[in-house]
Amino acid sequence: MSLPYYILRRALQAVPLLVGVVVINFLIIHLAPGDPVLVIAGEYGTTPEYLAAMRAKMGLDKPLSVQLLIYLKTTFMGDLGHSFVWNQSVLRIILEFVPATFLLMGSSLVLSVLIGVPLGVWASRKPYSLMDNTITTVSLAGYSIPVFWLGIMSILLFSVRLKWLPTQGMASIASGYTGSAYALDVARHLVLPATVLALAQLALITRLTRASLLEVMSLDFITTAWSKGLGENWVIFRHGLRNALLPIVTIIGLQVGYLFGGAILTETVFAWPGMGRLMLRALSTRDYPLIMGMFIVITVMIVLVNLLTDILYAVLDPRVRVTKK
Amino acid sequence: MSAPDRRPASRLARACAEFWRRYRKNRSGLVGLALVCGFLLLAVLAGAIATSAPLDTKTGAPFEPPGPIHYFGTDDLGRDVFSGVVYGARVSLAVGFLAALTSTIIGIIIGAVAGYFGGWVDDLLMRVTEMFMVIPVFVLALLLVALFGPSVSNVIVVISILSWPGTARLVRADFLSLKNREFVEAARSLSAGHLDIIFAEILPNALAPVIITASLRVATAILIEAGLSFLGFGDPNTISWGLMLYWAQNFIRHAPWMAIFPGLAISLTTLAFNLMGDGLNDALNPRLKER
């Protein structure tokens, strides 16, 4: 199977997935207690005229199946509705908060790969040795600590006790920083939340790298590499790790959804002005159109990231295109 | 499969003994098991261990630091933090066990049906499974609990509905490889029904990875419940570790003990189930059996 064809097929497979997500959203709106119009319009700032107009637009007098089709159509046209709390289009509000969350998630992901992969390699060198057991157990502990509690504890230690780092927000308020001073300020604010959010991912990546590398290192081509008299580093990194990293790519794709959950919690602890905080604000004001819109946007992002990792995998490993369905 | 001893009770006993022999070797697995038992005892005997009722606001002055009377201090309303942590074990373990159990059952049924029948049934169920794998569990759980009301039972239902896909995929894969084996053919030729074949013949051979996943799922469910409660979307009327952290948020500088102890409890419990999952993996994973 050629690469473009594979990419096209994967992209087409993502379409029913997206439809399914929108259908779930539709079902939630209709299963939620109360009038769906109120659910979709929000409880505040609505007038009877608007509600009547919304009823007509959603086709509430028509059968459920027609309503679903209408909902699918408006959603896929990019119309996620209007938030009365903000008096703005839902999509525009969300896009405003996306960059902060991306900065947080992206840097924590980079951090976890940069630290997790070397740790995994180190652990796999001598399986079941003291070093391996230590790394494996510590990473399991990292995986078990709730991210929000870790955040609180890091605030206690690094800013209350040691006063090293800022803990709230994304930039110093009223500092008037511009250019590189501003970037540095944001970076200082980013250190704690990004590190905290990275830890759970780091644990997973460490364990996976270790397991995957152990498996690859027992394959025949590695034995061949050893028998050619190649050095240890060369065999591990050039032959072993290159192949062992492939499953990691997939896992990162699958973990993005999990990362979003962690981001919501981390943003709450550190008052980071991203989508997590937006979502909590939407929930507390019962701003349903915004809540539903955010769910769709987040899921679409996850689908896209999964698509990208699948394609990346296929580019890196041609075998996938043939064997993996 | 051709065990000479046909009495099920002794076969089970021997399997258990064999399992325990393997499990015992794994030190971290044993630590996990001991911790799990400890927290279970804590939950069951909460009434006897706690020094006061968890929501009693008159146990002492507000913000008393940890000491001989209030082991973990008191919170902003004078509630005893130690008693809260003890009683909080009930919610965490109940949510963890029930959500893991329900989602595992859902996963087994969907995976078994997909793998056993194959064809369009498999295609359809796997598309649905893929969709649930893409959905951000915590985000949707938050949304559903906010919409349908934050009660312990709702939290359990929501986590169960959202976390079965992993199990379904594991079970399906095992069923695909097992359904054409001789012992299944034998059962079929004795005109055993589909249900019999699925549950009595194939499923017992596909259970090992399911059990390992279930143990890890308890940990995940506990973390999700704690996260929801921490954000203020847990059951506000039942004490839980997440709820205690939600209360603690505004007093972190002032009374750090309010946050430290419930968080430690969550971490230790999830660590316990993760360790147990590792131990189970070593004891049950057929690929490692030879070692």
Side-chain angles (χ1 to χ4, degrees), chain A residues 5 59 81 130 144 151-152 154 180 182 213 218 232 267 271 305:
Chain A
Y5 181 73
L130 182 67
S144 306
I152 294 175
S154 71
S180 61
Y182 176 75
L213 194 57
S218 68
E232 190 180 1
E267 287 180 9
V305 172

Side-chain angles (χ1 to χ4, degrees), chain A residues 163-217:
Chain A
K163 301 193 192 311
W164 282 354
L165 291 162
T167 60
Q168 299 290 299
M170 196 168 139
S172 307
I173 298 164
S175 59
Y177 289 137
T178 49
S180 61
Y182 176 75
L184 196 69
D185 189 40
V186 171
R188 272 171 52 81
H189 281 81
L190 183 62
V191 173
L192 277 185
T195 314
V196 164
L197 185 56
L199 201 79
Q201 307 295 314
L202 187 144
L204 193 77
I205 289 175
T206 304
R207 289 170 71 88
L208 255 163
T209 308
R210 174 187 174 275
S212 172
L213 194 57
L214 279 178
E215 197 166 323
V216 169
M217 293 304 276

Side-chain angles (χ1 to χ4, degrees), chain B residues 144-229:
Chain B
L144 286 174
V145 171
L147 279 177
F148 289 89
S151 66
V152 174
S153 52
N154 274 358
V155 170
I156 295 174
V157 170
V158 163
I159 299 177
S160 308
I161 295 176
L162 296 179
S163 42
W164 54 266
T167 308
R169 281 165 64 119
L170 282 174
V171 172
R172 171 184 174 267
D174 273 349
F175 267 67
L176 280 180
S177 71
L178 288 171
K179 70 175 174 186
N180 294 322
R181 296 268 284 274
E182 286 91 347
F183 69 93
V184 180
E185 290 295 335
R188 215 172 269 139
S189 65
L190 292 170
S191 63
H194 288 315
L195 279 180
D196 249 359
I197 295 177
I198 290 177
F199 288 106
E201 300 293 333
I202 306 183
L203 188 58
N205 295 290
L207 270 184
V210 173
I211 293 172
I212 298 161
T213 320
S215 170
L216 301 175
R217 175 116 7 102
V218 177
T220 320
I222 290 176
L223 282 180
I224 294 177
E225 187 278 329
L228 292 174
S229 301

Side-chain angles (χ1 to χ4, degrees), chain A residues 29 32-48 50-51 54 82-87 281-292, chain B residues 146-149:
Chain A
I29 294 169
D35 189 339
V37 170
L38 285 182
V39 172
I40 202 71
E43 285 171 0
Y44 300 103
T46 47
T47 59
Y50 179 77
L51 289 184
M54 276 299 285
H82 185 87
S83 159
F84 272 91
V85 180
W86 291 70
N87 203 16
R281 195 150 26 140
L283 285 172
S284 63
T285 51
R286 305 193 87 72
D287 190 349
Y288 292 116
L290 185 52
I291 300 170
M292 295 301 173
Chain B
L147 279 177
F148 289 89

